[in-house]
Amino acid sequence: MIECSVCHSKIATSSSSNSKTISRAYDRHRSHGSSRFLNFVLVGGDCFLVGFQPILVYMSKVDGGFKFSPVSVNFLTELTKVIFAIIMLLFQARHKKVGEKSLLSISTLVQAARNNVLLAVPALLYAINNYLKFIMQLYFNPATVKMLSNLKVLVIAILLKMIMKRRFSIIQWEALALLLIGISVNQLRSLPEGTTSFSLPVATSAYLYTLIFVTVPSLASVFNEYALKSQFETSIYHQNLFLYGYGAMFNFLAILGTAIFKGPGSLDILEGHSKATMLLICNNAAQGILSSFFFKYADTILKKYSSTIATIFTGIASSVLFGHTLTINFVLGISIVIISMHQFFSALSKVKDEQQSGSLEMADSQESQRSRDASFLNVTAGANEDASHRVNEEEKRPLLPV
């Protein structure tokens, strides 16, 4: 048996894979009212945090570069998230019901660590992606970075279909294609002139970073959603503790590697930081915590579309604060993206999925009805057999001697 992460209903796993069963359970119950309210809260918070992040990154740059180590920001971010997970576990431990096992007991922590070892994979990918975020800021303005990050939606959809067995209607695939077109419209003529320290043309290196920037976090998001939803019985704060613990470990190893090549001075993780970078660390930590709720209680596609909405805020804010021009390409691109988002989540695009879910429910109902009918027939047949049975002389004799 496996349980839906949204409504906690159980489904038998028979011969189908766990990933397909998880996807089916989620599809059946994603339209519940409580789920819609949670999605609304998640999208609202994500729009604010994701939209404000590129602004903070841009404010952290000095003379077009960073005075601090991006790896140190990532390490401090993961450390902040680990502290938050521990605080929430302590809070839950104090309010546990009578008879419940403590979330902080050694046996519970060891069992949770064994069950969630897969979280090390997205943690490593996130560590790489967090560094790439700073690299991308050196080639594109904040609004364009957000538009490029929306390319992840198409890659994520393909990975979800391959790994999670998620189903998408034709209209939804068309909406994702329309999203790609909108991003491409905004991307036109957004690269600055010049060369990089690798002696490569800016366009070549920027597109290379873009390819990695899109693929790595897409893999991380899908693996993260699979790991969180496959271990539904584990507290999300346990899972966050391990995920962020792995992330802090990988970033600390990166700091040690940097110290080997650049000297012991790079071990000072607070060097070059300012108020803007402290706000950036808090923003990144809150964004990561919110993402874990997206992956466990909603889905990755919704997370990426909410980031698309944040693009509007990023573009307007970067124009007001830094004087970046909102070109006609950006206006047309974001308009196409909004149309794509409406098309993807419209009721018409979900008809096929709902029919599939309905057919699944009808099949389950028919199977249950057949079982009840078979039981009734067996009882009836037994009653008829008893009624038609003729008692002979041997059966009338007492079993015990009189």
Side-chain angles (χ1 to χ4, degrees), residues 109-179:
L109 290 173
V110 171
Q111 184 64 34
R114 290 176 179 175
N115 293 339
N116 293 273
V117 67
L118 183 62
L119 290 172
V121 176
L124 175 60
L125 295 173
Y126 280 135
I128 298 173
N129 176 62
N130 290 335
Y131 178 74
L132 290 175
K133 288 180 180 179
F134 292 94
I135 297 296
M136 292 295 292
Q137 291 287 342
L138 299 177
Y139 296 102
F140 304 98
N141 60 54
T144 305
V145 169
K146 287 310 307 162
M147 289 298 295
L148 285 175
S149 68
N150 293 328
L151 280 168
K152 302 171 190 175
V153 176
L154 187 60
V155 180
I156 286 173
I158 297 174
L159 293 174
L160 283 174
K161 186 173 180 62
M162 295 172 58
I163 299 175
M164 296 283 292
K165 310 302 180 184
R166 189 69 55 81
R167 299 182 302 274
F168 298 104
S169 66
I170 296 178
I171 295 179
Q172 288 177 321
W173 283 114
E174 292 174 349
L176 294 176
L178 194 61
L179 172 64

Side-chain angles (χ1 to χ4, degrees), residues 5 25 62 66 112 129 138 149 216 225 243 255 282 315 323 330 353 370 377 401:
S5 61
V62 178
F66 300 111
N129 176 62
L138 299 177
S149 68
V216 170
E225 180 178 348
L243 176 63
I255 291 175
C282 294
F330 175 79
D353 288 341
R370 282 196 295 267
L377 291 175

